[in-house]
Amino acid sequence: MRGVQIGLIGFGTVGSGVVKVLEENGSLIEKRLGQPLILKRIADLDLDTDRGVSVDHVQLTRNALEVIEDPEISIVIELIGGYEPARSFILNCFRQKKHVVTANKALLAIHGDEIFREARRHGVDINFEASVGGGIPIVRSLREGLVANRITSLFGILNGTSNYILTKMTDGGGEFGQVLQEAQEKGFAEADPSMDIDGIDPAHKLAILLSLACGGRVRFDRIYTEGLSKISPLDIQYSLEFGYKVKLLAIAKIEASQVEARVHPTLVPIEHPLSAVNGVDNAIFVTGDVVGPTMFYGQGAGQMPTASAVVSDVVELARNVLFHSAGRVSTLSHQDRYIKAIGIKDIERVVTRWYMRFSVVDKPGVLSRISGILGKNRISIAAVIQKGRQAREAVPVVMMTHEARGRDVIRALKAIDQLPVVLDETVRIRVEDKLS
Amino acid sequence: MRGVQIGLIGFGTVGSGVVKVLEENGSLIEKRLGQPLILKRIADLDLDTDRGVSVDHVQLTRNALEVIEDPEISIVIELIGGYEPARSFILNCFRQKKHVVTANKALLAIHGDEIFREARRHGVDINFEASVGGGIPIVRSLREGLVANRITSLFGILNGTSNYILTKMTDGGGEFGQVLQEAQEKGFAEADPSMDIDGIDPAHKLAILLSLACGGRVRFDRIYTEGLSKISPLDIQYSLEFGYKVKLLAIAKIEASQVEARVHPTLVPIEHPLSAVNGVDNAIFVTGDVVGPTMFYGQGAGQMPTASAVVSDVVELARNVLFHSAGRVSTLSHQDRYIKAIGIKDIERVVTRWYMRFSVVDKPGVLSRISGILGKNRISIAAVIQKGRQAREAVPVVMMTHEARGRDVIRALKAIDQLPVVLDETVRIRVEDKLS
């Protein structure tokens, strides 16, 4: 039979998008691939909800095994998300010699090691373009487009929800809690938003990108993660005065001897292309030792952008099926025997410049006490903004420091926050001046 | 013998860059590909100049045939540029069943039809990532990353020289001629800069991108091309007042019934990501019907970025050699039998908004004469700026129009420029408000 037969497990939002793409652009894809993609079976527990797409020629089932064990199906798309049963389904696909496409970043960040190893052991491919940056072709760009490069750094805006919230706060939308609530009402944030705003979701994606860039195993729990909840519009405004925007950045700096990997609010120079990435958009700024700085930009989530990535992966694996070229590109962009564990530098040893906002009683000697403690901890001040004088009330004192170690900053701020003249926990945000 | 053997024709700037990449990152590339890339032969007329790279293990020759006819070589890199003998060398490679990597945009834009057809006929691959956007992986993104999409529009800053000149003029660097001369002195512009500043080079690149997006033959002479030489700092300043930057854009708008393809100075909304692309950087803003808007950004030229793209192509073809999967991805992203001629809409029929700057004598009734002629030609005015009143001297009157057809604008300006109160040729620049 002509064509490449595929199965889908998970008929939710993205799954419906995939069906829609195959329906609307199927003939275009056939012109490109040379053969039709035939969606033979879909498995989902819910077979009743109308997804608004035609499944007349598809066999629907509540039993995922009917997809996994169908001998005619050579590629299975896993879109149920979460750890289990997604993990078991994928491992079962491998045993059935089926190639897999997944968008499941959490699963790959935590269990990627096992999953990639098992795929190799069974001689099948697993593709996961949709796991990072929605429809942006960043995974294949790292694996193929930049194959001649040692990747030296990656800076990503990888979470649409948190970028939307920061953009709204920058545009005068109010305090974090208020903007979050509006985002939830508009459907831009989940009812439980913690994966997004606490930085877990972008950290999952960073783990995947870092694995690809270095060809290695990344221990997810070694990636430092800090969310948005302590950022106030005041910090965004002061940052602008210093010439920076506040972004939730996923950062990897890769040197031969050590790797930094961290997700946290970051001051980004206002003229840097990442500063212009607003709303739910995503972007990945990648520097290679040959190509120099590059950036990949687009919608980081949503039904159709994600479906675009899923189908591009299916087409790639279908080409491998048709040309008997499975394993043509290594999953982690390096051959098995070169896959190594990547050691990640402790966040307390990471050196950056810092933005600090102190809430202090405005009386003589306060600034000198603070700067004294900073100095004792090897933190020197590059610039200070102090406005408004309201005796005996809290006033903000805002500083930009020179480069300082995380450990020193923690120690200094612990001492400063215990001073009686300091009225609230000091806000501190890392600064990245050189993003390549 | 282990490894994939390659040959290089053209040991100039980019060729030396390729040798350097293979030397410095060869072992990294081997970890990714699984086999070494072995540069066996280099052909160039000049074998004396020191390129600063090691060629100890390479056989140098002045005779390209020694590369083309070496039976051990399976991939030939063509980097001599120009039409001949590059074209003949490439066609000869195909006859010898060798896959080809080239950066030669002019050749592909003019002779692509013949070259792609001959590659198909001989069952070999030709890759050309380096022909557009330096190291930016835009060709493979169109062919593979966005394979699920009907591409609906492309907007590219595809020429570093002209973007550098416009950026300098925007930053107060002076008139066009002066900035061009400085760019030449700094090596950012050629001694004969016409290919760049007249828009020929970006039009070559647009022809290639459009062929990829539509899977078709593009007649290069149907792409309207207009250069920078009439733009003055005054126009850049007025554009900023209207909320726009002036960019030399390569534009393709693709509808089922018709295709627009044109290169000209363009007013781009200041908040659009393309407005933030400065200096010699390039970017391609691509919209697909599934993925939505995406952007690809990086250094558009230069030895090492271009070498990055060349080597990524070599690796891709080497994978095809190792997996016997030549033809796996179609050259123009569509199978042969679907390649069609792409009809391009006549520029006079293209509808855009317009920026116009009239140099007029400042006396009563002038604005009404001009707007009368515009009105008679179905051009309506959206906004006017008129500053400075110097009786009997030339003053600028600047307008933004609503949407108007090219033909109507040409006719109206011809009549207006013949008025005795109009002292100089009217400057008109197309405006693009919606770039997706």
Side-chain angles (χ1 to χ4, degrees):
Chain A
M1 180 175 177
R2 255 188 103 244
V4 177
Q5 301 202 42
I6 58 181
L8 168 63
I9 305 177
F11 196 17
T13 306
V14 176
S16 310
V18 168
V19 175
K20 197 168 170 217
V21 174
L22 295 176
E23 191 181 321
E24 293 181 358
N25 285 357
S27 68
L28 175 68
I29 292 166
E30 183 177 347
K31 286 182 184 173
R32 291 174 174 167
L33 177 62
Q35 298 247 356
L37 293 176
I38 299 160
L39 180 58
K40 185 177 178 193
R41 292 180 189 267
I42 298 177
D44 197 288
L45 294 179
D46 169 11
L47 296 182
D48 302 319
T49 305
D50 179 10
R51 276 82 168 183
V53 292
S54 160
V55 285
D56 293 349
H57 304 285
V58 185
Q59 295 170 50
L60 297 178
T61 172
R62 289 191 175 80
N63 181 2
L65 287 180
E66 289 185 23
V67 174
I68 298 170
E69 295 177 350
D70 183 328
E72 289 187 335
I73 288 175
S74 48
I75 301 166
V76 175
I77 306 169
E78 180 277 304
L79 292 175
I80 50 175
Y83 301 116
E84 283 295 349
R87 173 181 156 277
S88 302
F89 286 166
I90 288 175
L91 295 175
N92 199 354
C93 284
F94 295 160
R95 287 192 292 271
Q96 305 291 327
K97 302 291 177 198
K98 294 191 180 356
H99 308 289
V100 171
V101 173
T102 180
N104 196 331
K105 53 236 171 196
L107 180 65
L108 295 181
I110 306 298
H111 297 287
D113 211 20
E114 176 191 23
I115 287 171
F116 299 145
R117 192 181 57 231
E118 289 302 302
R120 288 192 294 269
R121 201 161 70 85
H122 289 93
V124 293
D125 284 328
I126 175 163
N127 270 19
F128 45 90
E129 183 65 81
S131 66
V132 185
I136 304 168
I138 182 63
V139 170
R140 45 173 52 67
S141 292
L142 287 172
R143 285 213 289 218
E144 302 191 66
L146 304 181
V147 70
N149 291 261
R150 197 173 300 281
I151 304 299
T152 55
S153 63
L154 275 164
F155 297 85
I157 294 175
L158 298 179
N159 183 268
T161 302
S162 51
N163 201 50
Y164 174 85
I165 291 171
L166 283 171
T167 303
K168 282 284 158 187
M169 287 172 73
T170 306
D171 295 346
E175 293 288 340
F176 173 75
Q178 180 188 343
V179 174
L180 170 60
Q181 197 186 324
E182 282 171 22
Q184 287 171 316
E185 284 161 12
K186 287 184 184 165
F188 291 139
E190 306 272 347
D192 175 2
S194 58
M195 291 286 274
D196 297 315
I197 61 172
D198 293 344
I200 312 293
D201 170 78
H204 285 150
K205 294 164 178 169
L206 180 64
I208 294 171
L209 294 180
L210 183 58
S211 290
L212 284 167
C214 299
R217 293 184 297 275
V218 173
R219 265 186 57 192
F220 178 72
D221 61 3
R222 295 284 299 157
I223 298 179
Y224 174 75
T225 306
E226 182 184 311
L228 287 182
S229 57
K230 288 180 183 168
I231 307 294
S232 87
L234 208 57
D235 300 309
I236 293 174
Q237 288 314 312
Y238 280 117
S239 299
L240 286 172
E241 289 187 38
F242 284 121
Y244 295 86
K245 285 221 192 171
V246 181
K247 293 289 181 191
L248 185 67
L249 277 199
I251 299 171
K253 297 186 182 183
I254 304 161
E255 290 175 28
S257 56
Q258 59 184 10
V259 172
E260 292 181 15
R262 46 196 165 95
V263 175
H264 51 68
T266 311
L267 265 63
V268 178
I270 206 159
E271 67 275 11
H272 192 276
L274 283 174
S275 277
V277 176
N278 292 317
V280 295
D281 289 344
N282 279 20
I284 305 102
F285 194 87
V286 184
T287 300
D289 64 345
V290 183
V291 74
T294 59
M295 191 173 85
F296 302 84
Y297 163 98
Q299 294 174 28
Q303 182 186 39
M304 298 315 285
T306 310
S308 171
V310 168
V311 175
S312 77
D313 274 353
V314 173
V315 171
E316 182 176 336
L317 297 188
R319 295 191 204 273
N320 284 354
V321 169
L322 295 170
F323 283 85
H324 307 287
S325 56
R328 187 177 167 280
V329 180
S330 304
T331 309
L332 293 183
S333 73
H334 294 64
Q335 302 280 314
D336 304 3
R337 59 189 178 284
Y338 300 110
I339 300 293
K340 59 187 187 298
I342 299 168
I344 294 174
K345 191 174 178 178
D346 194 284
I347 188 69
E348 295 204 348
R349 291 176 49 229
V350 169
V351 172
T352 61
R353 296 181 67 211
W354 295 78
Y355 162 99
M356 297 178 179
R357 177 168 59 83
F358 305 94
S359 298
V360 297
V361 179
D362 185 20
K363 62 180 195 184
V366 170
L367 191 56
S368 115
R369 297 270 324 254
I370 289 174
S371 54
I373 295 174
L374 292 175
K376 256 191 287 186
N377 286 283
R378 290 178 295 274
I379 303 163
S380 67
I381 299 166
V384 180
I385 299 177
Q386 186 173 4
K387 290 180 184 172
R389 322 206 102 243
Q390 298 161 280
R392 307 277 149 202
E393 279 184 39
V395 294
V397 172
V398 182
M399 289 181 187
M400 293 285 281
T401 77
H402 289 295
E403 292 205 325
R405 272 208 307 191
R407 188 191 306 161
D408 295 332
V409 170
I410 291 168
R411 191 183 299 122
L413 294 188
K414 194 174 168 193
I416 288 169
D417 285 356
Q418 284 169 355
L419 296 177
V421 292
V422 173
L423 300 177
D424 208 348
E425 189 185 355
T426 298
V427 173
R428 80 287 179 291
I429 313 176
R430 288 171 183 82
V431 180
E432 293 289 337
D433 282 299
K434 228 182 133 285
L435 285 95
S436 63
Chain B
M1 181 174 176
R2 254 188 103 245
V4 177
Q5 300 202 41
I6 59 181
L8 168 63
I9 306 177
F11 197 18
T13 306
V14 176
S16 310
V18 169
V19 176
K20 196 166 171 220
V21 175
L22 294 176
E23 191 181 321
E24 293 181 357
N25 285 357
S27 70
L28 175 67
I29 292 166
E30 183 178 346
K31 286 181 185 173
R32 290 173 175 167
L33 176 62
Q35 298 248 355
L37 292 177
I38 300 160
L39 180 59
K40 186 177 177 192
R41 293 179 189 269
I42 298 177
D44 196 288
L45 294 178
D46 169 12
L47 296 181
D48 303 321
T49 305
D50 180 10
R51 275 82 169 183
V53 292
S54 160
V55 284
D56 292 348
H57 304 286
V58 185
Q59 296 171 48
L60 297 178
T61 172
R62 289 191 176 79
N63 180 2
L65 288 179
E66 289 185 23
V67 175
I68 298 170
E69 295 177 350
D70 184 328
E72 289 187 334
I73 287 176
S74 47
I75 300 166
V76 175
I77 306 169
E78 180 276 304
L79 292 174
I80 50 175
Y83 301 115
E84 282 296 348
R87 173 182 155 278
S88 302
F89 286 166
I90 289 176
L91 294 175
N92 199 354
C93 285
F94 295 160
R95 287 191 291 271
Q96 305 291 328
K97 302 291 176 198
K98 295 195 180 349
H99 309 287
V100 171
V101 173
T102 179
N104 195 330
K105 53 236 170 196
L107 180 64
L108 295 181
I110 306 297
H111 297 287
D113 211 21
E114 175 192 23
I115 288 171
F116 299 145
R117 193 182 53 231
E118 289 303 302
R120 287 191 295 268
R121 201 161 69 86
H122 289 93
V124 294
D125 284 327
I126 174 163
N127 270 18
F128 44 91
E129 184 63 81
S131 65
V132 185
I136 304 168
I138 182 62
V139 170
R140 45 172 52 69
S141 291
L142 287 173
R143 284 213 290 219
E144 301 191 65
L146 304 182
V147 70
N149 290 262
R150 196 175 301 280
I151 304 298
T152 55
S153 63
L154 276 163
F155 297 83
I157 294 174
L158 297 179
N159 183 268
T161 302
S162 51
N163 202 49
Y164 175 84
I165 290 172
L166 283 172
T167 303
K168 282 284 159 190
M169 287 172 73
T170 306
D171 295 347
E175 294 288 340
F176 173 76
Q178 181 187 339
V179 174
L180 171 60
Q181 197 186 322
E182 283 172 22
Q184 286 170 318
E185 285 161 14
K186 288 184 183 165
F188 291 138
E190 307 273 348
D192 174 3
S194 58
M195 291 285 274
D196 296 317
I197 61 171
D198 293 344
I200 312 294
D201 171 78
H204 284 150
K205 294 165 178 169
L206 181 63
I208 294 170
L209 294 181
L210 183 57
S211 290
L212 285 167
C214 300
R217 295 184 296 274
V218 173
R219 267 186 55 192
F220 177 72
D221 61 3
R222 294 284 299 157
I223 298 179
Y224 174 76
T225 306
E226 181 185 311
L228 288 182
S229 56
K230 289 180 182 169
I231 307 294
S232 88
L234 209 57
D235 299 310
I236 292 174
Q237 288 314 312
Y238 280 117
S239 299
L240 286 172
E241 289 188 37
F242 284 123
Y244 294 86
K245 286 221 192 169
V246 181
K247 292 290 181 191
L248 185 67
L249 278 199
I251 299 170
K253 297 186 182 183
I254 304 161
E255 289 176 27
S257 55
Q258 58 184 10
V259 172
E260 292 181 17
R262 45 197 166 92
V263 175
H264 51 68
T266 310
L267 266 63
V268 178
I270 207 159
E271 67 276 9
H272 192 275
L274 284 174
S275 276
V277 176
N278 291 317
V280 296
D281 289 344
N282 281 19
I284 304 103
F285 194 87
V286 185
T287 301
D289 64 344
V290 183
V291 74
T294 60
M295 192 172 85
F296 302 84
Y297 163 98
Q299 294 173 28
Q303 181 186 39
M304 299 316 284
T306 310
S308 171
V310 168
V311 175
S312 76
D313 274 352
V314 172
V315 171
E316 182 176 335
L317 297 188
R319 294 190 204 273
N320 284 353
V321 169
L322 295 170
F323 282 85
H324 308 285
S325 56
R328 187 178 168 280
V329 179
S330 304
T331 310
L332 293 183
S333 73
H334 294 63
Q335 302 280 313
D336 305 3
R337 59 189 178 283
Y338 300 110
I339 300 291
K340 59 186 188 298
I342 299 169
I344 293 174
K345 191 174 177 176
D346 193 283
I347 187 68
E348 295 204 349
R349 290 176 48 228
V350 168
V351 173
T352 61
R353 295 181 67 208
W354 294 79
Y355 162 99
M356 297 178 179
R357 177 168 57 84
F358 305 94
S359 297
V360 296
V361 180
D362 186 18
K363 64 179 193 184
V366 170
L367 191 57
S368 115
R369 295 273 321 256
I370 289 175
S371 54
I373 294 174
L374 292 176
K376 256 191 285 184
N377 286 283
R378 290 178 296 272
I379 303 163
S380 67
I381 299 166
V384 180
I385 300 177
Q386 186 174 4
K387 291 180 184 172
R389 322 206 101 242
Q390 296 161 281
R392 308 279 148 198
E393 280 184 38
V395 295
V397 172
V398 182
M399 289 181 187
M400 293 286 280
T401 77
H402 289 296
E403 292 205 326
R405 271 208 307 189
R407 186 191 306 161
D408 295 333
V409 169
I410 291 169
R411 190 184 299 124
L413 294 187
K414 195 174 170 196
I416 289 169
D417 284 357
Q418 284 169 355
L419 297 176
V421 293
V422 173
L423 300 177
D424 208 348
E425 189 186 355
T426 298
V427 174
R428 79 289 178 290
I429 314 175
R430 287 171 184 81
V431 181
E432 294 289 337
D433 282 299
K434 229 185 133 280
L435 286 95
S436 63

